[in-house]
Amino acid sequence: MNRPVFDIEHAKRILRDNDLGGYTVPTKGLYPFQWNWDAAITALGWMEAGDEPRAWLELEMLLKGQWDNGMVPHIIFHGEADTYFPGPEVWGVENAVKTSAISQPPVLATVVRILFEQSKDRALAEQKLAALLPGTIACHLWWYRERDPENTGLVCSYHPWESGMDNSPAWDHPLSAVPTVDWEYTRRDTGHVDAAERPHKHQYDRYIYLVDFFKRNRFDSDAIYKSCPYRVQDIGIIAILQRANTDLLALCQSRIDDDSTRSLQASSARTAAAINELWSDELSCFVSRDTLTGQQLKTISCAGVLPLFGELASPAQASAINESLDRWIDGAPFGLASTHPDSETFEPQRYWRGPSWLHINWMIALGLEAYQMPERAEQLKQVSEACLENGDFWEYYNSVTGEGCGGGEFSWTAAIALHWLK
Ligand code: 9WN
């Protein structure tokens, strides 16, 4: 295939247009603030657009929202906007920089490593790495300390939004145990995007209940761990954290060797030792687990493939996953469908219930390469390019028709195209 299949200048223009002065919104209107894992992926695009200082700045701006306890929040409300719900007043966080009260998949350290390795301006790279390392280490220590206080090796998530895969069918059961919010609110997402491509009201009612719950508990980690009605060991977060931790420790080598790095090493080892608890022989895939019931959440989703990216799968698990990808891609050729197309809950256009997301494909392709499966990695590249062939950079794509869905002119899609598909 002749690369690239997309207009490079258009992709760069999207980043510039979505730049609100040091941070990049995912897309105007629908998401008018800085999001955590979007920012990391978008920084890769800034690097490819040839603006190294701007790439580093994206990450520095993200860490401006970091909490004293190390958490990097999922949304940083740098500016004001009334086109998104829930905004800072609903989250109720009183910090100087307004933020949400949960995090998101920690792909940050992986991106810091890529930027550092790709950077042509070595002096700038050394300076920015030194500036970003302490916050990134604190972020990982936070995940292991606050989200795995019993040292199981498997960190937990308190909100479907934290997974970044908001309405994945994997969350249906644990979310059904969450009460619904008892006040009226107006969603803004369905004013920007077709409701058929977004979560349902019954899910939003519970998302907002949880937002209130964190506020009622004054964001107290202990209280939330003990009583949060939603507490899931999310295989996507666990796998991304594992990869990021390997990358972080590589960056620390010959720079930092202290209690924090030793603790991070021990955490990675605990995760590797525990990961089989999240393997399902029946599904030939990794799955998440509801810690309140102890039950595995039996959904075949793209998150369950991410342990390849985290290099957490055994060779036998990796080949079982690889075999299942044949049918997964045949059934939804503009893949990789976020939920397996043979699943009863599969909806090819609805957000995380079936559409494909190109930044996930990139992570999975890196995982496949790590497991010496270059043909499959190349196939993921090709299905991703097929999505882009209609000429726009959408938030996600209908995995059966290839039609663009959600928000248009989308930063992480443009960025990952520049980084991966150029
Ligand atoms: C809630 C910004 C974010 C992504 C998530 C995606 C979506 C938000 C929403 O948009 O979530 O965080 O309101 O729908 O699911 O992965 O980071 O692009």
Side-chain angles (χ1 to χ4, degrees):
M1 176 173 303
N2 291 330
R3 298 204 154 98
V5 300
F6 63 92
D7 178 352
I8 293 183
E9 289 313 312
H10 182 188
K12 292 182 183 172
R13 197 165 62 243
I14 288 178
L15 299 186
R16 287 195 300 272
D17 287 350
N18 287 340
D19 181 3
L20 291 199
Y23 69 97
T24 316
V25 298
T27 185
K28 291 205 174 125
L30 181 62
Y31 305 126
F33 307 108
Q34 189 184 34
W35 260 258
N36 178 331
W37 68 333
D38 297 64
I41 302 289
T42 302
L44 296 174
W46 280 113
M47 188 60 131
E48 291 295 330
D51 196 339
E52 294 190 16
R54 183 61 188 79
W56 291 112
L57 182 59
E58 190 71 36
L59 306 183
E60 292 174 302
M61 290 296 280
L62 175 65
L63 290 187
K64 280 192 193 300
Q66 184 165 30
W67 286 18
D68 288 347
N69 67 4
M71 183 179 80
V72 180
H74 104 292
I75 307 177
I76 320 294
F77 299 107
H78 292 291
E80 290 184 7
D82 60 6
T83 57
Y84 183 79
F85 176 86
E89 66 297 337
V90 183
W91 285 97
V93 173
E94 300 291 344
N95 297 350
V97 178
K98 299 283 174 257
T99 70
S100 67
I102 53 171
S103 194
Q104 246 188 346
V107 68
L108 171 65
T110 297
V111 168
V112 172
R113 185 177 184 184
I114 295 171
L115 295 191
F116 184 73
E117 287 174 354
Q118 284 191 345
S119 174
K120 296 196 183 66
D121 186 340
R122 297 313 304 160
L124 181 73
E126 287 290 350
Q127 182 205 328
K128 295 299 178 186
L129 179 63
L132 290 166
L133 268 184
T136 312
I137 292 172
C139 162
H140 284 214
L141 291 172
W142 171 83
W143 272 106
Y144 294 120
R145 187 184 65 241
E146 310 275 318
R147 296 313 187 84
D148 184 21
E150 297 176 61
N151 285 333
T152 64
L154 302 171
V155 297
C156 67
S157 142
Y158 294 147
H159 198 297
W161 282 339
E162 200 151 54
S163 72
M165 305 186 184
D166 312 2
N167 67 341
S168 165
W171 318 141
D172 287 356
H173 193 260
L175 193 64
S176 69
V178 173
T180 54
V181 69
D182 59 1
W183 47 274
E184 292 297 317
Y185 61 91
T186 307
R187 280 172 68 169
R188 306 303 305 266
D189 58 324
T190 42
H192 302 286
V193 168
D194 185 347
E197 295 172 7
R198 295 289 305 177
H200 293 285
K201 176 172 168 21
H202 64 84
Q203 287 154 335
Y204 256 78
D205 286 347
R206 292 171 169 86
Y207 298 163
I208 305 303
Y209 175 91
L210 288 168
V211 170
D212 270 352
F213 172 84
F214 304 136
K215 193 165 51 178
R216 267 204 316 277
N217 281 277
R218 300 169 186 277
F219 314 114
D220 179 278
S221 299
D222 264 3
I224 295 172
Y225 184 76
K226 286 191 189 113
S227 60
C228 188
Y230 178 96
R231 207 180 72 193
V232 164
Q233 286 163 335
D234 169 359
I235 189 64
I237 289 179
I238 289 166
I240 289 171
L241 177 60
Q242 185 78 354
R243 169 73 180 229
N245 210 37
T246 302
D247 290 326
L248 180 56
L249 287 165
L251 288 169
C252 287
Q253 230 176 28
S254 73
R255 291 187 176 85
I256 302 176
D257 179 13
D258 60 11
D259 284 352
S260 65
T261 50
R262 281 186 286 281
S263 161
L264 293 178
Q265 274 155 1
S267 298
S268 271
R270 263 197 300 273
T271 302
I275 201 69
N276 278 337
E277 294 169 37
L278 301 184
W279 172 257
S280 164
D281 263 334
E282 179 196 340
L283 302 183
S284 283
C285 201
F286 286 94
V287 292
S288 296
R289 180 164 67 183
D290 184 345
T291 68
L292 302 181
T293 62
Q295 298 301 305
Q296 286 191 345
L297 301 168
K298 301 274 190 185
T299 294
I300 309 184
S301 78
C302 58
V305 184
L306 283 171
L308 300 182
F309 178 63
E311 296 193 46
L312 280 164
S314 68
Q317 288 164 335
S319 18
I321 292 175
N322 189 31
E323 264 176 48
S324 75
L325 290 177
D326 281 337
R327 170 65 208 139
W328 200 326
I329 296 173
D330 279 355
F334 295 86
L336 183 74
S338 39
T339 301
H340 194 290
D342 292 343
S343 153
E344 275 178 11
T345 50
F346 173 68
E347 292 179 82
Q349 88 299 343
R350 196 181 292 280
Y351 214 34
W352 290 95
R353 301 179 82 85
S356 46
W357 297 73
L358 301 200
H359 68 298
I360 300 286
N361 289 0
W362 165 69
M363 289 189 243
I364 292 176
L366 284 180
L368 290 162
E369 278 164 16
Y371 282 84
Q372 317 298 327
M373 296 170 176
E375 293 86 10
R376 186 67 87 184
E378 178 61 25
Q379 188 187 19
L380 272 197
K381 234 179 194 175
Q382 287 174 9
V383 295
S384 303
E385 286 169 334
C387 293
L388 291 180
E389 269 169 354
N390 73 8
D392 205 351
F393 299 86
W394 289 89
E395 184 178 3
Y396 44 95
Y397 293 85
N398 181 314
S399 56
V400 170
T401 66
E403 194 187 333
C405 300
E409 305 285 289
F410 213 88
S411 295
W412 67 13
T413 309
I416 212 63
L418 287 168
H419 174 74
W420 184 41
L421 305 173
K422 200 154 62 129

